[in-house]
């Protein structure tokens, strides 16, 4: 793989997901152009080894910046798991490939999870979320291109039923998707709307925290400026 390979779905660093406990539903938000700064911050926050697994090479800050600028939100789908401070601890990119006449729609998956958020099943959640969206969009085959040493990501793919083909230091996982159903469309609609509500609640809570902090600072300044009484 060369450094000019489009890393939109080149690989993934999802961390050790095998045997991770599943604490229940986690909101996964669909991201938009206004989230580019959060996406960039997430990717720049990856440790060197994680950058290597995610992009297939040790991407520099400049190369990651170009990747984020080049994200096509109209064609592709980008998903994130955010903590209460709206910091992205998990990120996934579902890149839809242009289909020629007579060919079925296909897509590629790439994702990353911050090291401090590992072991919670976030990588598998992001992958499952991407599978649902791809299936409902009519994708026939989902592909993951990963380094062969990226055992956790390849394990997640195999668990989903993918066929993994190894070619030296790189591997490709191919997963055939079933057609969408009313149930799968409903599942996506419910999940996306619940995640949207969660995101707005976190956003409002963050604004409220900022307002309370500002009020506290004003009160502190006023208190310092008050004259003191002397006996």
């Amino acid at each position: 793989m060369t450094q000019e390979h489009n890393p939109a779905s080149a690989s993934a660093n999802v961390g050790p997901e095998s045997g991770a406990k599943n604490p229940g539903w986690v909101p996964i938000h669909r991201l938009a152009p206004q989230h580019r700064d959060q996406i960039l911050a997430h990717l720049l926050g990856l440790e060197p080894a994680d950058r290597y697994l995610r992009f297939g090479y040790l991407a520099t800050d400049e190369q990651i910046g170009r990747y984020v600028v080049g994200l096509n939100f109209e064609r592709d789908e980008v998903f994130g798991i955010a903590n209460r401070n709206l910091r992205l601890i998990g990120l996934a990119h579902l890149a839809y490939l242009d289909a020629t006449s007579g060919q079925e729609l296909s897509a590629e998956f790439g994702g990353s999870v911050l090291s401090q958020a590992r072991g919670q099943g976030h990588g598998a959640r992001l992958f499952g979320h991407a599978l649902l969206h791809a299936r409902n969009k009519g994708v026939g085959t989902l592909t993951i291109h990963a380094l062969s040493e990226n055992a956790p990501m390849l394990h997640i793919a195999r668990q989903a039923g993918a066929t993994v083909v190894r070619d030296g230091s790189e591997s490709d996982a191919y997963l055939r998707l079933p057609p969408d159903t009313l149930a799968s469309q409903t599942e996506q609609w419910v999940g996306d709307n619940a995640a949207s509500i969660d995101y707005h609640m976190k956003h409002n809570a963050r604004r409220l925290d900022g307002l309370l902090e500002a009020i506290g600072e004003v009160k502190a300044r006023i208190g310092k400026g008050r004259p003191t009484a002397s006996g």
Side-chain angles (χ1 to χ4, degrees), residues 79-110:
F79 308 109
I81 298 176
N83 63 14
R84 66 180 303 272
N85 296 317
L86 297 184
R87 182 188 184 192
L88 292 176
I89 59 175
L91 181 70
H93 183 181
L94 184 60
Y96 293 99
L97 307 180
D98 295 330
T100 58
S101 178
Q103 289 186 334
E104 66 179 10
L105 182 63
S106 60
E108 293 185 0
F109 171 86

PDB file of all heavy atoms in Angstrom, residues 79-110:
ATOM      1  N   PHE A  79     -19.613   8.055  10.923  1.00  0.00           N
ATOM      2  CA  PHE A  79     -20.293   7.872  12.195  1.00  0.00           C
ATOM      3  C   PHE A  79     -19.313   8.069  13.342  1.00  0.00           C
ATOM      4  O   PHE A  79     -18.113   7.820  13.206  1.00  0.00           O
ATOM      5  CB  PHE A  79     -20.879   6.453  12.292  1.00  0.00           C
ATOM      6  CG  PHE A  79     -21.732   6.058  11.121  1.00  0.00           C
ATOM      7  CD1 PHE A  79     -21.288   5.122  10.204  1.00  0.00           C
ATOM      8  CD2 PHE A  79     -22.984   6.625  10.936  1.00  0.00           C
ATOM      9  CE1 PHE A  79     -22.069   4.742   9.129  1.00  0.00           C
ATOM     10  CE2 PHE A  79     -23.769   6.259   9.854  1.00  0.00           C
ATOM     11  CZ  PHE A  79     -23.319   5.319   8.954  1.00  0.00           C
ATOM     12  N   GLY A  80     -19.848   8.490  14.478  1.00  0.00           N
ATOM     13  CA  GLY A  80     -18.988   8.676  15.636  1.00  0.00           C
ATOM     14  C   GLY A  80     -19.669   8.309  16.940  1.00  0.00           C
ATOM     15  O   GLY A  80     -20.893   8.398  17.064  1.00  0.00           O
ATOM     16  N   ILE A  81     -18.863   7.878  17.896  1.00  0.00           N
ATOM     17  CA  ILE A  81     -19.302   7.687  19.274  1.00  0.00           C
ATOM     18  C   ILE A  81     -18.651   8.789  20.096  1.00  0.00           C
ATOM     19  O   ILE A  81     -17.418   8.912  20.108  1.00  0.00           O
ATOM     20  CB  ILE A  81     -18.885   6.308  19.820  1.00  0.00           C
ATOM     21  CG1 ILE A  81     -19.540   5.191  19.006  1.00  0.00           C
ATOM     22  CG2 ILE A  81     -19.252   6.162  21.299  1.00  0.00           C
ATOM     23  CD1 ILE A  81     -19.098   3.790  19.410  1.00  0.00           C
ATOM     24  N   ALA A  82     -19.469   9.598  20.753  1.00  0.00           N
ATOM     25  CA  ALA A  82     -18.962  10.752  21.489  1.00  0.00           C
ATOM     26  C   ALA A  82     -19.178  10.572  22.992  1.00  0.00           C
ATOM     27  O   ALA A  82     -20.193  10.020  23.419  1.00  0.00           O
ATOM     28  CB  ALA A  82     -19.654  12.031  21.018  1.00  0.00           C
ATOM     29  N   ASN A  83     -18.220  11.059  23.784  1.00  0.00           N
ATOM     30  CA  ASN A  83     -18.411  11.030  25.230  1.00  0.00           C
ATOM     31  C   ASN A  83     -19.258  12.235  25.648  1.00  0.00           C
ATOM     32  O   ASN A  83     -19.751  12.987  24.804  1.00  0.00           O
ATOM     33  CB  ASN A  83     -17.064  10.991  25.959  1.00  0.00           C
ATOM     34  CG  ASN A  83     -16.217  12.237  25.706  1.00  0.00           C
ATOM     35  OD1 ASN A  83     -16.700  13.256  25.208  1.00  0.00           O
ATOM     36  ND2 ASN A  83     -14.948  12.156  26.060  1.00  0.00           N
ATOM     37  N   ARG A  84     -19.446  12.434  26.938  1.00  0.00           N
ATOM     38  CA  ARG A  84     -20.343  13.493  27.411  1.00  0.00           C
ATOM     39  C   ARG A  84     -19.841  14.887  27.033  1.00  0.00           C
ATOM     40  O   ARG A  84     -20.614  15.853  26.994  1.00  0.00           O
ATOM     41  CB  ARG A  84     -20.556  13.404  28.911  1.00  0.00           C
ATOM     42  CG  ARG A  84     -19.322  13.684  29.759  1.00  0.00           C
ATOM     43  CD  ARG A  84     -19.629  13.572  31.250  1.00  0.00           C
ATOM     44  NE  ARG A  84     -20.703  14.466  31.631  1.00  0.00           N
ATOM     45  CZ  ARG A  84     -20.518  15.738  32.000  1.00  0.00           C
ATOM     46  NH1 ARG A  84     -19.300  16.259  31.975  1.00  0.00           N
ATOM     47  NH2 ARG A  84     -21.534  16.476  32.365  1.00  0.00           N
ATOM     48  N   ASN A  85     -18.537  15.013  26.752  1.00  0.00           N
ATOM     49  CA  ASN A  85     -17.967  16.291  26.334  1.00  0.00           C
ATOM     50  C   ASN A  85     -17.928  16.442  24.823  1.00  0.00           C
ATOM     51  O   ASN A  85     -17.297  17.354  24.303  1.00  0.00           O
ATOM     52  CB  ASN A  85     -16.560  16.452  26.913  1.00  0.00           C
ATOM     53  CG  ASN A  85     -16.558  16.524  28.423  1.00  0.00           C
ATOM     54  OD1 ASN A  85     -17.402  17.197  29.019  1.00  0.00           O
ATOM     55  ND2 ASN A  85     -15.628  15.828  29.058  1.00  0.00           N
ATOM     56  N   LEU A  86     -18.604  15.517  24.128  1.00  0.00           N
ATOM     57  CA  LEU A  86     -18.684  15.504  22.665  1.00  0.00           C
ATOM     58  C   LEU A  86     -17.333  15.256  22.003  1.00  0.00           C
ATOM     59  O   LEU A  86     -17.135  15.580  20.830  1.00  0.00           O
ATOM     60  CB  LEU A  86     -19.302  16.809  22.135  1.00  0.00           C
ATOM     61  CG  LEU A  86     -20.752  17.071  22.560  1.00  0.00           C
ATOM     62  CD1 LEU A  86     -21.279  18.344  21.902  1.00  0.00           C
ATOM     63  CD2 LEU A  86     -21.652  15.889  22.195  1.00  0.00           C
ATOM     64  N   ARG A  87     -16.422  14.661  22.735  1.00  0.00           N
ATOM     65  CA  ARG A  87     -15.169  14.229  22.123  1.00  0.00           C
ATOM     66  C   ARG A  87     -15.406  12.879  21.475  1.00  0.00           C
ATOM     67  O   ARG A  87     -15.977  11.978  22.085  1.00  0.00           O
ATOM     68  CB  ARG A  87     -14.064  14.111  23.167  1.00  0.00           C
ATOM     69  CG  ARG A  87     -12.716  13.707  22.564  1.00  0.00           C
ATOM     70  CD  ARG A  87     -11.690  13.406  23.620  1.00  0.00           C
ATOM     71  NE  ARG A  87     -10.393  13.115  23.020  1.00  0.00           N
ATOM     72  CZ  ARG A  87      -9.361  12.595  23.670  1.00  0.00           C
ATOM     73  NH1 ARG A  87      -9.471  12.314  24.960  1.00  0.00           N
ATOM     74  NH2 ARG A  87      -8.221  12.352  23.051  1.00  0.00           N
ATOM     75  N   LEU A  88     -14.968  12.726  20.229  1.00  0.00           N
ATOM     76  CA  LEU A  88     -15.156  11.476  19.516  1.00  0.00           C
ATOM     77  C   LEU A  88     -14.160  10.443  20.025  1.00  0.00           C
ATOM     78  O   LEU A  88     -12.947  10.588  19.848  1.00  0.00           O
ATOM     79  CB  LEU A  88     -14.973  11.682  18.010  1.00  0.00           C
ATOM     80  CG  LEU A  88     -16.048  12.517  17.312  1.00  0.00           C
ATOM     81  CD1 LEU A  88     -15.684  12.722  15.843  1.00  0.00           C
ATOM     82  CD2 LEU A  88     -17.415  11.852  17.416  1.00  0.00           C
ATOM     83  N   ILE A  89     -14.689   9.377  20.645  1.00  0.00           N
ATOM     84  CA  ILE A  89     -13.822   8.309  21.114  1.00  0.00           C
ATOM     85  C   ILE A  89     -13.802   7.154  20.122  1.00  0.00           C
ATOM     86  O   ILE A  89     -12.940   6.284  20.186  1.00  0.00           O
ATOM     87  CB  ILE A  89     -14.273   7.811  22.499  1.00  0.00           C
ATOM     88  CG1 ILE A  89     -15.720   7.305  22.453  1.00  0.00           C
ATOM     89  CG2 ILE A  89     -14.108   8.906  23.536  1.00  0.00           C
ATOM     90  CD1 ILE A  89     -16.185   6.697  23.762  1.00  0.00           C
ATOM     91  N   GLY A  90     -14.750   7.147  19.196  1.00  0.00           N
ATOM     92  CA  GLY A  90     -14.802   6.138  18.142  1.00  0.00           C
ATOM     93  C   GLY A  90     -15.279   6.774  16.851  1.00  0.00           C
ATOM     94  O   GLY A  90     -16.119   7.683  16.872  1.00  0.00           O
ATOM     95  N   LEU A  91     -14.736   6.329  15.727  1.00  0.00           N
ATOM     96  CA  LEU A  91     -15.054   6.928  14.431  1.00  0.00           C
ATOM     97  C   LEU A  91     -15.099   5.844  13.358  1.00  0.00           C
ATOM     98  O   LEU A  91     -14.278   4.924  13.364  1.00  0.00           O
ATOM     99  CB  LEU A  91     -13.994   7.967  14.068  1.00  0.00           C
ATOM    100  CG  LEU A  91     -14.165   8.725  12.759  1.00  0.00           C
ATOM    101  CD1 LEU A  91     -15.350   9.689  12.854  1.00  0.00           C
ATOM    102  CD2 LEU A  91     -12.889   9.513  12.428  1.00  0.00           C
ATOM    103  N   ALA A  92     -16.063   5.940  12.464  1.00  0.00           N
ATOM    104  CA  ALA A  92     -16.163   4.993  11.353  1.00  0.00           C
ATOM    105  C   ALA A  92     -16.483   5.738  10.068  1.00  0.00           C
ATOM    106  O   ALA A  92     -17.231   6.719  10.081  1.00  0.00           O
ATOM    107  CB  ALA A  92     -17.240   3.945  11.625  1.00  0.00           C
ATOM    108  N   HIS A  93     -15.906   5.259   8.984  1.00  0.00           N
ATOM    109  CA  HIS A  93     -16.134   5.839   7.653  1.00  0.00           C
ATOM    110  C   HIS A  93     -16.636   4.728   6.744  1.00  0.00           C
ATOM    111  O   HIS A  93     -15.956   3.727   6.523  1.00  0.00           O
ATOM    112  CB  HIS A  93     -14.828   6.432   7.116  1.00  0.00           C
ATOM    113  CG  HIS A  93     -14.977   7.109   5.788  1.00  0.00           C
ATOM    114  ND1 HIS A  93     -13.913   7.687   5.131  1.00  0.00           N
ATOM    115  CD2 HIS A  93     -16.050   7.313   4.982  1.00  0.00           C
ATOM    116  CE1 HIS A  93     -14.329   8.203   3.987  1.00  0.00           C
ATOM    117  NE2 HIS A  93     -15.621   7.975   3.875  1.00  0.00           N
ATOM    118  N   LEU A  94     -17.846   4.900   6.239  1.00  0.00           N
ATOM    119  CA  LEU A  94     -18.446   3.964   5.294  1.00  0.00           C
ATOM    120  C   LEU A  94     -18.385   4.624   3.924  1.00  0.00           C
ATOM    121  O   LEU A  94     -19.145   5.550   3.631  1.00  0.00           O
ATOM    122  CB  LEU A  94     -19.883   3.648   5.698  1.00  0.00           C
ATOM    123  CG  LEU A  94     -20.636   2.611   4.863  1.00  0.00           C
ATOM    124  CD1 LEU A  94     -19.927   1.264   4.907  1.00  0.00           C
ATOM    125  CD2 LEU A  94     -22.070   2.473   5.348  1.00  0.00           C
ATOM    126  N   ALA A  95     -17.459   4.173   3.099  1.00  0.00           N
ATOM    127  CA  ALA A  95     -17.220   4.781   1.788  1.00  0.00           C
ATOM    128  C   ALA A  95     -17.929   3.969   0.715  1.00  0.00           C
ATOM    129  O   ALA A  95     -17.640   2.778   0.529  1.00  0.00           O
ATOM    130  CB  ALA A  95     -15.724   4.848   1.493  1.00  0.00           C
ATOM    131  N   TYR A  96     -18.846   4.604   0.016  1.00  0.00           N
ATOM    132  CA  TYR A  96     -19.583   3.931  -1.057  1.00  0.00           C
ATOM    133  C   TYR A  96     -18.800   4.057  -2.356  1.00  0.00           C
ATOM    134  O   TYR A  96     -18.332   5.139  -2.727  1.00  0.00           O
ATOM    135  CB  TYR A  96     -20.973   4.545  -1.205  1.00  0.00           C
ATOM    136  CG  TYR A  96     -21.863   4.273  -0.016  1.00  0.00           C
ATOM    137  CD1 TYR A  96     -22.037   5.229   0.980  1.00  0.00           C
ATOM    138  CD2 TYR A  96     -22.513   3.053   0.127  1.00  0.00           C
ATOM    139  CE1 TYR A  96     -22.836   4.974   2.088  1.00  0.00           C
ATOM    140  CE2 TYR A  96     -23.315   2.787   1.226  1.00  0.00           C
ATOM    141  CZ  TYR A  96     -23.474   3.753   2.209  1.00  0.00           C
ATOM    142  OH  TYR A  96     -24.260   3.491   3.301  1.00  0.00           O
ATOM    143  N   LEU A  97     -18.643   2.942  -3.039  1.00  0.00           N
ATOM    144  CA  LEU A  97     -17.869   2.899  -4.271  1.00  0.00           C
ATOM    145  C   LEU A  97     -18.781   3.084  -5.473  1.00  0.00           C
ATOM    146  O   LEU A  97     -19.888   2.536  -5.517  1.00  0.00           O
ATOM    147  CB  LEU A  97     -17.124   1.570  -4.374  1.00  0.00           C
ATOM    148  CG  LEU A  97     -16.271   1.207  -3.153  1.00  0.00           C
ATOM    149  CD1 LEU A  97     -15.574  -0.123  -3.370  1.00  0.00           C
ATOM    150  CD2 LEU A  97     -15.254   2.306  -2.851  1.00  0.00           C
ATOM    151  N   ASP A  98     -18.314   3.869  -6.414  1.00  0.00           N
ATOM    152  CA  ASP A  98     -19.098   4.119  -7.623  1.00  0.00           C
ATOM    153  C   ASP A  98     -19.292   2.823  -8.397  1.00  0.00           C
ATOM    154  O   ASP A  98     -18.327   2.119  -8.719  1.00  0.00           O
ATOM    155  CB  ASP A  98     -18.398   5.151  -8.509  1.00  0.00           C
ATOM    156  CG  ASP A  98     -18.315   6.517  -7.830  1.00  0.00           C
ATOM    157  OD1 ASP A  98     -19.212   6.822  -7.023  1.00  0.00           O
ATOM    158  OD2 ASP A  98     -17.355   7.257  -8.102  1.00  0.00           O
ATOM    159  N   ALA A  99     -20.537   2.499  -8.673  1.00  0.00           N
ATOM    160  CA  ALA A  99     -20.853   1.270  -9.403  1.00  0.00           C
ATOM    161  C   ALA A  99     -21.043   1.574 -10.884  1.00  0.00           C
ATOM    162  O   ALA A  99     -21.714   2.540 -11.245  1.00  0.00           O
ATOM    163  CB  ALA A  99     -22.121   0.635  -8.836  1.00  0.00           C
ATOM    164  N   THR A 100     -20.409   0.760 -11.716  1.00  0.00           N
ATOM    165  CA  THR A 100     -20.608   0.907 -13.149  1.00  0.00           C
ATOM    166  C   THR A 100     -21.939   0.272 -13.536  1.00  0.00           C
ATOM    167  O   THR A 100     -22.572  -0.429 -12.744  1.00  0.00           O
ATOM    168  CB  THR A 100     -19.463   0.238 -13.922  1.00  0.00           C
ATOM    169  OG1 THR A 100     -19.410  -1.149 -13.561  1.00  0.00           O
ATOM    170  CG2 THR A 100     -18.132   0.907 -13.581  1.00  0.00           C
ATOM    171  N   SER A 101     -22.350   0.504 -14.746  1.00  0.00           N
ATOM    172  CA  SER A 101     -23.641  -0.003 -15.212  1.00  0.00           C
ATOM    173  C   SER A 101     -23.727  -1.525 -15.074  1.00  0.00           C
ATOM    174  O   SER A 101     -22.822  -2.253 -15.497  1.00  0.00           O
ATOM    175  CB  SER A 101     -23.854   0.394 -16.682  1.00  0.00           C
ATOM    176  OG  SER A 101     -25.077  -0.122 -17.167  1.00  0.00           O
ATOM    177  N   GLY A 102     -24.780  -1.990 -14.428  1.00  0.00           N
ATOM    178  CA  GLY A 102     -25.002  -3.415 -14.278  1.00  0.00           C
ATOM    179  C   GLY A 102     -24.339  -4.028 -13.068  1.00  0.00           C
ATOM    180  O   GLY A 102     -24.555  -5.208 -12.776  1.00  0.00           O
ATOM    181  N   GLN A 103     -23.537  -3.267 -12.335  1.00  0.00           N
ATOM    182  CA  GLN A 103     -22.877  -3.786 -11.153  1.00  0.00           C
ATOM    183  C   GLN A 103     -23.614  -3.355  -9.890  1.00  0.00           C
ATOM    184  O   GLN A 103     -24.236  -2.292  -9.852  1.00  0.00           O
ATOM    185  CB  GLN A 103     -21.421  -3.310 -11.075  1.00  0.00           C
ATOM    186  CG  GLN A 103     -20.510  -3.944 -12.112  1.00  0.00           C
ATOM    187  CD  GLN A 103     -19.061  -3.549 -11.875  1.00  0.00           C
ATOM    188  OE1 GLN A 103     -18.775  -2.510 -11.307  1.00  0.00           O
ATOM    189  NE2 GLN A 103     -18.146  -4.404 -12.316  1.00  0.00           N
ATOM    190  N   GLU A 104     -23.534  -4.180  -8.858  1.00  0.00           N
ATOM    191  CA  GLU A 104     -24.186  -3.853  -7.600  1.00  0.00           C
ATOM    192  C   GLU A 104     -23.368  -2.821  -6.833  1.00  0.00           C
ATOM    193  O   GLU A 104     -22.164  -2.667  -7.040  1.00  0.00           O
ATOM    194  CB  GLU A 104     -24.365  -5.102  -6.742  1.00  0.00           C
ATOM    195  CG  GLU A 104     -23.056  -5.705  -6.274  1.00  0.00           C
ATOM    196  CD  GLU A 104     -23.257  -6.927  -5.393  1.00  0.00           C
ATOM    197  OE1 GLU A 104     -24.392  -7.409  -5.304  1.00  0.00           O
ATOM    198  OE2 GLU A 104     -22.268  -7.401  -4.808  1.00  0.00           O
ATOM    199  N   LEU A 105     -24.048  -2.133  -5.922  1.00  0.00           N
ATOM    200  CA  LEU A 105     -23.384  -1.139  -5.084  1.00  0.00           C
ATOM    201  C   LEU A 105     -22.517  -1.842  -4.051  1.00  0.00           C
ATOM    202  O   LEU A 105     -22.908  -2.862  -3.487  1.00  0.00           O
ATOM    203  CB  LEU A 105     -24.440  -0.278  -4.381  1.00  0.00           C
ATOM    204  CG  LEU A 105     -23.935   0.867  -3.496  1.00  0.00           C
ATOM    205  CD1 LEU A 105     -23.180   1.899  -4.334  1.00  0.00           C
ATOM    206  CD2 LEU A 105     -25.105   1.521  -2.763  1.00  0.00           C
ATOM    207  N   SER A 106     -21.315  -1.323  -3.822  1.00  0.00           N
ATOM    208  CA  SER A 106     -20.420  -1.870  -2.815  1.00  0.00           C
ATOM    209  C   SER A 106     -19.874  -0.738  -1.958  1.00  0.00           C
ATOM    210  O   SER A 106     -20.004   0.435  -2.293  1.00  0.00           O
ATOM    211  CB  SER A 106     -19.274  -2.657  -3.464  1.00  0.00           C
ATOM    212  OG  SER A 106     -18.514  -1.813  -4.320  1.00  0.00           O
ATOM    213  N   ALA A 107     -19.281  -1.096  -0.836  1.00  0.00           N
ATOM    214  CA  ALA A 107     -18.771  -0.083   0.090  1.00  0.00           C
ATOM    215  C   ALA A 107     -17.572  -0.642   0.837  1.00  0.00           C
ATOM    216  O   ALA A 107     -17.354  -1.858   0.895  1.00  0.00           O
ATOM    217  CB  ALA A 107     -19.859   0.341   1.068  1.00  0.00           C
ATOM    218  N   GLU A 108     -16.782   0.272   1.421  1.00  0.00           N
ATOM    219  CA  GLU A 108     -15.642  -0.106   2.237  1.00  0.00           C
ATOM    220  C   GLU A 108     -15.792   0.520   3.619  1.00  0.00           C
ATOM    221  O   GLU A 108     -16.356   1.604   3.768  1.00  0.00           O
ATOM    222  CB  GLU A 108     -14.326   0.338   1.599  1.00  0.00           C
ATOM    223  CG  GLU A 108     -14.016  -0.387   0.301  1.00  0.00           C
ATOM    224  CD  GLU A 108     -12.647  -0.020  -0.266  1.00  0.00           C
ATOM    225  OE1 GLU A 108     -11.948   0.796   0.374  1.00  0.00           O
ATOM    226  OE2 GLU A 108     -12.283  -0.551  -1.320  1.00  0.00           O
ATOM    227  N   PHE A 109     -15.258  -0.170   4.607  1.00  0.00           N
ATOM    228  CA  PHE A 109     -15.362   0.284   5.998  1.00  0.00           C
ATOM    229  C   PHE A 109     -13.987   0.571   6.568  1.00  0.00           C
ATOM    230  O   PHE A 109     -13.031  -0.167   6.341  1.00  0.00           O
ATOM    231  CB  PHE A 109     -16.050  -0.790   6.851  1.00  0.00           C
ATOM    232  CG  PHE A 109     -16.008  -0.513   8.337  1.00  0.00           C
ATOM    233  CD1 PHE A 109     -16.976   0.276   8.931  1.00  0.00           C
ATOM    234  CD2 PHE A 109     -14.999  -1.049   9.131  1.00  0.00           C
ATOM    235  CE1 PHE A 109     -16.943   0.539  10.301  1.00  0.00           C
ATOM    236  CE2 PHE A 109     -14.955  -0.798  10.492  1.00  0.00           C
ATOM    237  CZ  PHE A 109     -15.935  -0.007  11.076  1.00  0.00           C
ATOM    238  N   GLY A 110     -13.893   1.656   7.326  1.00  0.00           N
ATOM    239  CA  GLY A 110     -12.684   1.965   8.076  1.00  0.00           C
ATOM    240  C   GLY A 110     -13.080   2.582   9.401  1.00  0.00           C
ATOM    241  O   GLY A 110     -14.065   3.315   9.481  1.00  0.00           O
TER     242      GLY A 110
END
